[in-house]
Amino acid sequence: MSSRLAGYLVATSVALTVACAGPSLAQDAEPEVTLRFQHFVSPLSANPSHFMGPWAEAIEEQSGGRIAVEIYPFMQLGGAAPSQYDLIRDGAIDGGWVIPGYQPGRFPEAEALELPFMTTKSGEEASRAAWRFTQEFLMDDFADVHVIAAHMHGRGLIHVDGPAIQEIADLEGLRLRGPSRPATLLLERLGATPVGMPVPAFPEALARGVVDGGVITWEMSPSLRLDELVQSHTDVAGDRSLYNLYFIWAMNREVYEGLPEDLRAVIDANSGMMASAWAGRAHDIGDADGRAAMAAAGNQIATLSEDVTEEIRALGEDVTQAWIDDVSARGLDGAALVEAARRYVAEEAGTGTVPLTD
């Protein structure tokens, strides 16, 4: 076994031990309702630390201890990350974190938010736009669950087990992990060999040499041990993210509707725009921490030149037009979806509250 793979397995075991230390609350009185939520990443990563955990605490406190929320990382309640939506819908779990893009083609309208250079580099700003877009276009798609929040992450970067990317030609032939259909389409257009995989599979794929790198955020870098598994991290120039990823935080509909009215009100008070912005802000906090950790490890951190960024942006426009043509052929108004996503992003630009570090 390679030292990198062994280190990854040890780190995962340690994080799992921390996660299993107990549920998120200790109440004196027995709760009336216990909600079991599940996600697929380390409990030490940004969203669980800065959104999921505090959200659970808020629900417990505001319900006077009548609701207990247990948060299970690493898919401990069963299933795989791509099946999370169905697990919630079918009642196998009460709620959880979903990346609709892990099921390519199932929720095509959501992909408009994931297109190249669509969002700013602020997860909070992008998430405010995502909630508005979700309200207009996606609630029917998610009608069989109860959506609490819809959000995006912060900037997406290229992480490579090799020197930082300087030109598009440097991507030629690299096997790079992509999280969604728009991301893999862009990687392919850039000359890389995209390998679609959910985030839990990424570090082991790196450790085994299955991929040469991938696109992911700063905030996930420490929990995935990218300080050891890659050598460089490359961002595009400007205020727009190379790509982004759309998430929902959702509950089983029957469980939500079965709550007493006053307890539903507690969930509602921690839902919608405020929860979406909160989730996005968690990623921005994590991005600052993740970048600092990679810098402290001595990894190479680079930003592409304006000229190279413009070349990539042009290829990204090709991807966007191809996406519009594809979804329009399936009966959707692709151009209208892109226009609406761009409008919401533009209107929410500047609303972020966490300073971004370049």
Side-chain angles (χ1 to χ4, degrees), residues 145-169:
V145 300
H146 177 74
V147 178
I148 296 168
H151 73 93
M152 313 293 288
H153 58 54
R155 68 184 70 200
L157 301 98
I158 304 170
H159 310 262
V160 175
D161 189 18
I165 303 302
Q166 297 184 25
E167 305 286 344
I168 293 177

Side-chain angles (χ1 to χ4, degrees), residues 279-343:
R281 188 161 57 248
H283 289 271
D284 292 335
I285 295 169
D287 279 348
D289 294 342
R291 187 188 188 284
M294 297 304 104
N299 284 15
Q300 185 182 4
I301 295 174
T303 301
L304 292 168
S305 70
E306 294 281 356
D307 288 345
V308 173
T309 298
E310 283 305 310
E311 292 176 27
I312 295 176
R313 187 187 292 269
L315 294 175
E317 284 298 320
D318 292 342
V319 169
T320 296
Q321 187 57 56
W323 181 87
I324 290 172
D325 294 342
D326 176 57
V327 299
S328 297
R330 290 188 272 163
L332 299 173
D333 190 341
L337 290 167
V338 168
E339 189 279 330
R342 286 173 171 164
R343 182 177 72 252

Side-chain angles (χ1 to χ4, degrees), residues 1-7 9 208:
M1 180 183 294
S2 72
S3 60
R4 292 201 305 178
L5 178 56
L9 294 174
R208 293 186 183 278

Side-chain angles (χ1 to χ4, degrees), residues 189-335:
R189 195 75 178 82
L190 292 171
T193 300
V195 182
M197 67 176 65
V199 67
F202 185 35
E204 185 170 351
L206 276 167
R208 293 186 183 278
V210 174
V211 294
D212 303 304
V215 293
I216 206 163
T217 56
W218 280 126
E219 59 96 359
M220 285 301 301
S221 299
S223 64
L224 298 179
R225 295 180 57 252
L226 296 191
D227 53 330
E228 300 176 29
L229 295 173
V230 304
Q231 298 177 31
S232 66
H233 317 271
T234 305
D235 197 2
V236 292
D239 64 351
R240 294 300 177 109
S241 182
L242 174 67
Y243 82 100
N244 211 316
L245 198 57
Y246 175 83
F247 306 76
I248 60 172
W249 182 241
M251 280 183 67
N252 175 270
R253 179 165 290 282
E254 291 184 4
V255 170
Y256 168 78
E257 293 177 349
L259 293 172
E261 184 176 351
D262 59 338
L263 295 186
R264 285 201 308 273
V266 173
I267 301 293
D268 294 345
N270 293 277
S271 299
M273 177 64 86
M274 68 83 70
S276 300
W278 186 1
R281 188 161 57 248
H283 289 271
D284 292 335
I285 295 169
D287 279 348
D289 294 342
R291 187 188 188 284
M294 297 304 104
N299 284 15
Q300 185 182 4
I301 295 174
T303 301
L304 292 168
S305 70
E306 294 281 356
D307 288 345
V308 173
T309 298
E310 283 305 310
E311 292 176 27
I312 295 176
R313 187 187 292 269
L315 294 175
E317 284 298 320
D318 292 342
V319 169
T320 296
Q321 187 57 56
W323 181 87
I324 290 172
D325 294 342
D326 176 57
V327 299
S328 297
R330 290 188 272 163
L332 299 173
D333 190 341

Side-chain angles (χ1 to χ4, degrees), residues 24 47-60 71 249 278:
S24 58
N47 196 288
S49 297
H50 301 297
F51 171 65
M52 296 178 193
W55 182 89
E57 292 170 3
I59 297 298
E60 292 166 357
I71 307 291
W249 182 241
W278 186 1

